[in-house]
Amino acid sequence: MIQGRVLDKLGSEGEAEQAFKEIENLFGTDYLKAQSEKNLLSTLWNRKDRLSTVELFIIGKCLIKIKEDNESWLKQTIREIKRSPDKSKGLFSEIIYLGMLSLPCSKIIPAPRKKPGYDFAIPMKNGFTQFISVKNVDISDEQKKFQAGCRRVRAKWKEKLRLLHENLSLEILCHDSIKENDFELIIKSIKELKSIHPQLRITPRDGLNILITKLPIDYKISPAHTSDMVLVYCPGPESEKKRYANKVAQAAKNIWAHTAQETNALRIIFIRVNVHADYKEIQDRANQIINDPTSKIDCIITYQPSYVRDNENNSLIHHCFKMEFTPRFAMNLGEDGPAKITIPLGSVSMSQAPIKFVDPIKGEIQEILSSDYVYQQGDIHKLGKIGEHISINSLAPGIREHGVCEINNEFISFSSKLTPNDESLILI
């Protein structure tokens, strides 16, 4: 769906239209227009914000590249995505791998469908064959529960603000992981408030602190709308840190089990991880596997995409690639050399995008671990006058501005279609 989208700064002229058209041709308009939570591609297709447009552009560019050499595999994979929506995230990870990576002298050949152990093979001119296993490690169930609990807290906070005719920010900091009963404590504390004001502090239990503050703005807001912000932060559980590393170990064990009889084999794991993965844990396990002579794994590539802000508060996709490999891998690449990565859009580096947190109590800026749990959402209704220019944007991830003007004693609100309600990546 190109109509209604802003396609500027997406490749050269006509490139974005071509990418969207390829998605439409391959998946079909009926599938793309279907409204289903499990249909991740249609979720993006039916949104119009900038983030969904960027994700679709990258997917479309990958599809164009794959279609040139592997059209049969691509159509088979699309049929599988439609038939088994629960597998779609993993299958799109394969599309991203094949759409972004290439070798100078050899072709990447998809494995036969349902071939256990690996997803792609690369026969090289020196007689070696690379076997690649592509894995996807998405958001954990614990993280989903945390986000769901935070949404409940925000709903109760907005209800309290409307009841008391206030516009304030709620900041919740916990020294340990927030559990289900903690969310009940937080909601109970909000319900019991008879009045609220900035700098009001509540401690439902030791280590769990609630602080009410002013909204971080210096302009008038609409008296007819409720403006709010909610920030929740806590360290992630130990299981969150180890989950990604354990998936790497499982992938290593699996590819070796199904390629042990192959001679002159180079075994590679390409693992796409969620933005919440802390690479230090992955790197420790990857180094352990690479340096273990019994594992027979030659290379582990970790890919972590994220939607980030630069120093000017501009949003962009950041692609982080990390690689651990054995001397044997480097020595036996021959003419092929390392794989070339072509990024359709965004920045690329070998460093994770840092997550910076402004402590609302001390005012200090500090980096936090990717595995920590953070929820930040808010809507601020900015009041303007007829004939004046009203500038609205996103102050920070999850924080949206809305313009409001008064016409004949009515307050008319308008919002930017470019700002997403949720800045989480869906398919990339």
Side-chain angles (χ1 to χ4, degrees):
M1 186 183 295
I2 301 176
Q3 186 177 4
R5 292 187 182 276
V6 178
L7 302 181
D8 63 315
K9 299 181 181 179
L10 296 179
S12 57
E13 186 176 354
E15 203 170 341
E17 289 86 348
Q18 183 187 14
F20 276 80
K21 195 65 179 177
E22 198 64 68
I23 295 173
E24 193 171 35
N25 289 339
L26 289 168
F27 283 89
T29 54
D30 289 343
Y31 177 81
L32 292 171
K33 290 180 179 179
Q35 300 283 353
S36 170
E37 290 184 3
K38 290 188 176 182
N39 186 341
L40 301 179
L41 186 62
S42 77
T43 298
L44 287 175
W45 193 260
N46 289 288
R47 284 167 41 184
K48 297 292 183 66
D49 57 81
R50 182 64 175 182
L51 179 55
S52 66
T53 300
V54 166
E55 280 206 66
L56 289 168
F57 173 75
I58 293 174
I59 290 293
K61 291 293 291 182
C62 288
L63 295 175
I64 291 170
K65 176 181 177 293
I66 295 170
K67 188 178 177 181
E68 293 177 359
D69 296 318
N70 296 282
E71 185 173 2
S72 176
W73 175 87
L74 180 58
K75 289 183 176 180
Q76 186 179 19
T77 301
I78 289 172
R79 286 194 294 271
E80 185 68 15
I81 289 171
K82 290 182 175 181
R83 185 167 51 243
S84 305
D86 290 339
K87 298 179 182 178
S88 63
K89 199 66 176 285
L91 293 170
F92 271 107
S93 294
E94 294 183 24
I95 288 173
I96 289 169
Y97 171 84
L98 197 53
M100 290 188 180
L101 277 78
S102 60
L103 277 80
C105 300
S106 299
K107 288 187 176 182
I108 302 175
I109 301 173
R113 183 58 63 192
K114 297 184 180 179
K115 178 72 175 179
Y118 67 95
D119 301 290
F120 300 97
I122 305 174
M124 301 190 299
K125 294 184 180 298
N126 61 3
F128 277 78
T129 300
Q130 296 184 35
F131 294 96
I132 301 97
S133 173
V134 177
K135 299 296 180 184
N136 174 71
V137 189
D138 208 4
I139 186 172
S140 67
D141 290 339
E142 288 301 313
Q143 175 74 247
K144 289 179 182 178
K145 290 177 183 177
F146 170 79
Q147 297 291 333
C150 291
R151 287 193 293 271
R152 290 174 53 219
V153 168
R154 186 183 178 217
K156 184 55 63 178
W157 176 241
K158 291 173 69 175
E159 181 183 306
K160 178 63 70 172
L161 290 176
R162 285 193 293 268
L163 181 65
L164 299 178
H165 305 289
E166 296 283 359
N167 300 279
L168 294 166
S169 175
L170 183 72
E171 291 159 344
I172 301 168
L173 304 178
C174 192
H175 296 301
D176 51 13
S177 298
I178 297 180
K179 302 293 192 301
E180 180 64 29
N181 57 336
D182 290 322
F183 285 117
E184 299 301 330
L185 277 176
I186 296 167
I187 290 172
K188 181 174 181 291
S189 298
I190 294 172
K191 283 182 177 180
E192 291 176 348
L193 290 172
K194 301 300 181 184
S195 62
I196 52 178
H197 57 82
Q199 303 308 313
L200 175 63
R201 300 189 186 195
I202 308 164
T203 306
R205 68 163 175 84
D206 289 343
L208 178 60
N209 300 295
I210 301 174
L211 175 65
I212 297 173
T213 66
K214 293 181 179 180
L215 296 171
I217 56 174
D218 58 359
Y219 50 76
K220 290 183 178 180
I221 56 178
S222 168
H225 298 82
T226 298
S227 295
D228 80 297
M229 277 182 54
V230 173
L231 170 66
V232 185
Y233 167 78
C234 72
E238 283 300 310
S239 59
E240 188 76 17
K241 297 179 183 179
K242 296 178 179 178
R243 188 171 69 97
Y244 298 92
N246 291 338
K247 291 291 185 180
V248 174
Q250 291 171 14
K253 183 178 180 180
N254 186 55
I255 191 173
W256 167 243
H258 292 94
T259 62
Q261 304 306 315
E262 301 285 348
T263 57
N264 292 338
L266 297 175
R267 299 174 182 86
I268 302 166
I269 297 169
F270 179 90
I271 183 165
R272 177 202 167 279
V273 297
N274 188 265
V275 69
H276 300 292
D278 181 2
Y279 186 71
K280 184 180 183 305
E281 294 284 338
I282 297 173
Q283 185 179 34
D284 290 345
R285 183 62 65 88
N287 283 330
Q288 181 184 19
I289 293 168
I290 290 295
N291 294 316
D292 182 356
T294 64
S295 72
K296 307 299 183 183
I297 303 302
D298 297 284
C299 180
I300 298 174
I301 303 171
T302 306
Y303 170 51
Q304 185 184 52
S306 55
Y307 192 51
V308 301
R309 303 290 181 100
D310 63 16
N311 292 331
E312 284 73 44
N313 203 35
N314 297 311
S315 300
L316 70 153
I317 301 284
H318 177 73
H319 307 265
C320 174
F321 289 90
K322 296 274 195 176
M323 180 183 292
E324 310 294 334
F325 56 88
T326 63
R328 177 177 179 271
F329 176 77
M331 293 171 60
N332 288 294
L333 287 176
E335 298 177 53
D336 289 281
K340 178 184 177 182
I341 300 173
T342 304
I343 301 299
L345 188 71
S347 63
V348 60
S349 76
M350 297 182 67
S351 300
Q352 281 187 280
I355 302 175
K356 296 182 179 180
F357 173 68
V358 180
D359 189 320
I361 298 175
K362 300 179 181 179
E364 300 173 349
I365 299 177
Q366 59 182 354
E367 288 192 14
I368 64 175
L369 298 176
S370 297
S371 55
D372 288 347
Y373 285 5
V374 180
Y375 173 91
Q376 182 171 260
Q377 288 289 315
D379 290 282
I380 301 176
H381 300 268
K382 186 176 184 180
L383 184 63
K385 295 181 180 179
I386 295 295
E388 291 183 347
H389 175 75
I390 304 176
S391 175
I392 57 174
N393 54 38
S394 175
L395 301 177
I399 308 301
R400 297 161 294 276
E401 284 184 331
H402 308 271
V404 180
C405 59
E406 185 179 2
I407 303 176
N408 297 327
N409 296 321
E410 289 188 20
F411 291 89
I412 309 301
S413 175
F414 56 92
S415 305
S416 170
K417 67 178 182 180
L418 297 180
T419 304
N421 290 326
D422 186 346
E423 298 193 13
S424 300
L425 296 171
I426 300 294
L427 283 179
I428 302 300

